[in-house]
Amino acid sequence: MNNPDTPLPSAEPPPALFQPAPALARVIEIGEVAAGIAVPEDRGVRFFSASRDFDGLDGMLFRNPEQAARAARDLTRPGARKAPRPIAV
């Protein structure tokens, strides 16, 4: 006989107690200009430019979004080089 207090077996496994949130891409803005986005990867974030002014950073890998934003800000400074050095990861 079936006991009415016994739960029925579920086809789905129970949910994990803790699941880290997936890392999200972040928009990098310099003032009111969208410089690009920083997309998480295994070893950091990859920068994709949204404006020709920041194409020198396009595809570069940074440790974190803040480092990518700093590199974008550096490009907007007077006398800045248009082709920045890669930042070590």
Side-chain angles (χ1 to χ4, degrees):
M1 297 199 144
N2 288 339
N3 183 346
D5 295 331
T6 304
L8 296 174
S10 173
E12 295 181 24
L17 295 177
F18 174 75
Q19 293 179 350
L24 301 174
R26 288 189 36 195
V27 175
I28 305 293
E29 294 180 327
I30 307 303
E32 295 181 11
V33 175
I37 59 172
V39 179
E41 290 190 1
D42 291 337
R43 298 181 341 173
V45 296
R46 189 157 312 270
F47 182 87
F48 294 95
S49 73
S51 168
R52 287 186 177 213
D53 293 336
F54 302 96
D55 280 353
L57 300 175
D58 195 54
M60 292 182 76
L61 189 63
F62 296 92
R63 283 186 217 119
N64 52 52
E66 291 76 22
Q67 191 179 41
R70 187 177 322 118
R73 274 193 308 274
D74 288 348
L75 281 180
T76 64
R77 293 199 175 123
R81 297 180 316 156
K82 293 298 178 191
R85 287 189 317 243
I87 298 174
V89 176

